[in-house]
Amino acid sequence: MNRRLLRARDAMDRAYAEPLDVRSVAAVAHVSPAHFSRSFRAVFGETPGRYLQRRRVERAMFLLRETDRSVTDICFDVGFSSLGTFSRTFRAIVGEAPSAYRVGNGPLVAPNCFQMAATRPWAAAGAATKSSSSGEAATASVP
Amino acid sequence: MTTKLSVTSVKVLDQDEALDFYVNKLGLEKARDVRQGPFRWLTVRFPNDPSVEIFLEEPGPPVHDDATAAQLRELITKGAMSSLVFETDDARGLYETLRTRGVTDFTQEPIDHSYGTDMGIRDPFGNGIRILQPANVRQEH
């Protein structure tokens, strides 16, 4: 079961830019959406929706650091369908607005696989933290 | 002073299945296969880099008690246990080859970076493998 859940998690990492819903991701693990959400949380410590949000925000942080694309373009690049939801989610996870994050952070000199893991925003349930923490994503995704 | 890496290990759920994947899918070769009771010292290596071997380690006795082995299996299938980084001289060609060979667990399709082209796969058990074609390696074809 873990292996199938991991396959579904990998699918979120791969297809974060697409409009994913629990049903389509659960299908990768061959389980019902409700069972998927429950099992995913038990195995990986957060809901699949939260995991996908962190993946999308990590990619948005990358694009803010490394490109000149507008915040609005980046919002849609990483799979959000509304700028309001993107800004709210980004702020809740990173602790500051996308534009403020861009001002404070330039390109990192590190291989992409390291960046994806090391800069994946991590927040304990209910408590947003700054973007510098690594935590669970590092153990799960490096390299 | 220590001087070099000679053996590392990746934890797997089944040594025979691991051998098939690392040899027949990824192109490594079997290096050693020594049995001692329940213990099997099974390693693979790259034909062009025989100085480094990867021990395909299956949790269990006599090294691990049953409870520890169960914990390790849990972590392996979560993708939280072992990870490897390999190099290739042709990332996109390898990607197509792996698909032809039935590999479906890609964590990332080939992407170009300043330092090269990389991709990601998982072995049959959940271990992450990054494969990089360094930017300075020219393709043969």
Side-chain angles (χ1 to χ4, degrees):
Chain A
M1 184 62 187
N2 282 2
R3 189 67 188 83
R4 283 190 283 154
L5 292 170
L6 181 61
R7 200 164 283 134
R9 201 187 72 174
D10 287 342
M12 285 193 278
D13 279 342
R14 230 176 23 243
Y16 62 90
E18 296 166 23
L20 295 175
D21 57 20
V22 174
R23 182 174 302 278
S24 60
V25 179
V28 176
H30 302 295
V31 293
S32 73
H35 185 46
F36 174 66
S37 293
R38 218 169 30 245
S39 309
F40 190 98
R41 182 168 193 160
V43 169
F44 296 118
E46 62 186 337
T47 64
R50 177 67 171 183
Y51 183 85
L52 179 59
Q53 279 187 337
R54 288 197 305 113
R55 169 61 172 162
R56 287 173 166 165
V57 167
E58 176 266 314
R59 285 290 85 190
M61 293 162 76
F62 169 79
L63 293 170
L64 289 164
R65 286 196 309 271
E66 310 280 339
T67 74
D68 293 325
R69 292 178 68 71
S70 73
V71 170
T72 305
D73 285 344
I74 289 173
C75 155
F76 296 117
D77 285 346
V78 301
F80 285 91
S81 52
S82 122
L83 186 59
T85 304
F86 170 62
S87 298
R88 199 163 52 245
T89 304
F90 191 99
R91 184 185 281 278
I93 289 176
V94 180
E96 59 189 344
S99 52
Y101 176 79
R102 165 170 271 167
V103 170
N105 293 274
L108 293 177
V109 182
N112 195 52
C113 61
F114 171 81
Q115 290 198 31
M116 285 194 290
T119 65
R120 181 80 57 106
W122 180 84
T129 59
K130 290 290 282 185
S131 57
S132 57
S133 58
S134 49
E136 68 190 58
T139 53
S141 309
V142 172
Chain B
M1 183 193 304
T2 52
T3 53
K4 73 183 290 292
L5 172 68
S6 54
V7 180
T8 185
S9 72
V10 60
K11 289 192 169 53
V12 302
L13 297 188
D14 182 288
Q15 286 182 309
D16 286 318
E17 192 180 351
L19 186 67
D20 176 66
F21 177 79
Y22 284 92
V23 171
N24 297 323
K25 301 285 198 281
L26 287 179
L28 286 79
E29 64 181 12
K30 184 159 79 174
R32 290 164 215 265
D33 190 357
V34 182
R35 292 171 190 268
Q36 180 75 51
F39 184 79
R40 183 182 181 192
W41 177 246
L42 175 65
T43 68
V44 292
R45 66 187 175 199
F46 286 99
N48 64 354
D49 185 16
S51 68
V52 180
E53 294 176 33
I54 303 169
F55 174 34
L56 305 175
E57 182 178 18
E58 190 176 313
V63 177
H64 308 105
D65 62 274
D66 288 346
T68 303
Q71 285 179 315
L72 289 171
R73 285 193 293 270
E74 183 84 3
L75 291 172
I76 291 167
T77 53
K78 282 189 191 190
M81 193 65 235
S82 312
S83 57
L84 297 165
V85 182
F86 294 156
E87 285 192 7
T88 176
D89 54 8
D90 180 7
R92 288 193 164 74
L94 176 66
Y95 177 73
E96 292 306 324
T97 300
L98 292 175
R99 282 164 57 101
T100 304
R101 291 175 179 170
V103 174
T104 55
D105 278 325
F106 293 95
T107 54
Q108 181 201 297
E109 294 172 359
I111 293 179
D112 295 325
H113 307 283
S114 60
Y115 50 86
T117 304
D118 71 356
M119 55 183 279
I121 62 172
R122 288 198 189 278
D123 77 6
F125 319 105
N127 298 302
I129 302 170
R130 303 287 307 185
I131 305 174
L132 172 68
Q133 176 189 342
N136 59 355
V137 174
R138 294 193 185 283
Q139 294 189 19
E140 298 294 321
H141 53 267

